[in-house]
Amino acid sequence: MSALTVLAADSPDQFGAPTPESLFDLAPIIPGVAWFTKPVLLAILSSVLVIGFCWAAFAKPKLVPRGVQNVAEMGYMFVRDQVARPFLGKDADRWMGLLLSMFFLVLVWNVMGVVPLIQFPVASHIAFPAVLAILIYVIKVYLGVKHQGAIGYFKNMMFPPGLPKPIYLLLAPIEFLSNMIIAPFTHAVRLFANMFAGHMLLAFFSMVGFWFLFEKLTPLGAPIGVLGVVMTIIFTGFEMFIQFLQAFLFAMLASMYIGGALHAEH
C-alpha cells in the first residue's frame, strides 16, 4: 500500500501520520484467500524476476559477456569475491548458487520498496526474511554435525581452545545462545527492521509533502510540504543504499555461518 493510498483513507480535514497497521496490515488480493496478500504476490514476482534474470544471463553464456550476462557476471563476481571467498575459501564455488540466488532475491525484495506504484519492500514482513534465516540455520547445523560430528560441533562452538577452564562456565552458555538462538534471530530481524523502518520513513515524508502541497496548501504549510518532498527524495536515495547493503549483509552472514559449520577454526 502506497503512502497516497493511506492518505486517501484519512480524514480530509486532518493530517494522519502513517501507522504500522495502515502500511503493513493489508487485505487479501483475492477475497476469501487470506494468505494471498500484496507481500506474497511481490515475493512470487521477485522469484520469477530472479529466475528469469539468471536464465537470460546464464542459459546460453557467451565468451564475451554482453547485456544481461554482463550485469549478472558483475553480480556473480561481487558475491564470489566479497561474500563467498572470505568465509568459505576453497568451498566458495560449491555454494555460489545458493549465495548468489539469495543475494539477488533479497535485493529485489528490498528494491520493491522504491518502485513506483508498488512501493512495498517484501522483507518488511518478518515472515519472509525468517524463512531464509531458518533455511541457513538448518544448513549450518546439518553441515556442522556432518563435518565435525555432533559432539565436536558443539564442543568447538561452546569451548574454544586456549582459555582458562573457569571461563568456560560463563562462556559456554553464552556461545550456545549466541550461535543457536541469537544468530538466526538477528539474521532475520536485521533485514526486517531496516526495511520496516525505511518504509515508515518514506511513507511519512511523502505524506507530509502531499498533504501540505495538495490537500492543505497555505502560505505557512507550503514550506513544510516542500521540505517533505525534499526529504522524500533524500531518503529514497539513502534507502536504496540500505537496500543493497542489507542484501549484501544477509548473504555475507549466510556465508559466514556456512563457513563456520564447515571449518571449526572459523
Side-chain angles (χ1 to χ4, degrees), residues 143-204:
L143 291 175
V145 172
K146 178 181 179 181
H147 288 269
Q148 303 175 42
I151 296 177
Y153 176 59
F154 288 99
K155 178 183 177 182
N156 292 328
M157 176 199 306
M158 300 169 63
F159 302 96
L163 297 176
K165 291 184 178 180
I167 296 294
Y168 292 128
L169 295 174
L170 178 63
L171 183 63
I174 292 176
E175 287 293 326
F176 179 83
L177 289 174
S178 176
N179 284 276
M180 302 303 293
I181 298 176
I182 297 176
F185 176 79
T186 56
H187 195 194
V189 169
R190 181 183 292 104
L191 174 59
F192 155 72
N194 277 276
M195 294 302 101
F196 181 94
H199 190 53
M200 289 286 294
L201 285 171
L202 285 177
F204 173 78

Side-chain angles (χ1 to χ4, degrees), residues 33 39 43 48 53 55 57 70 96 99 123 132 149 168 216 224 231:
V33 186
V48 172
F53 174 74
W55 184 271
N70 191 42
M96 276 301 299
L99 296 174
L132 294 185
Y168 292 128
K216 292 293 181 181
I224 300 176
M231 292 301 294

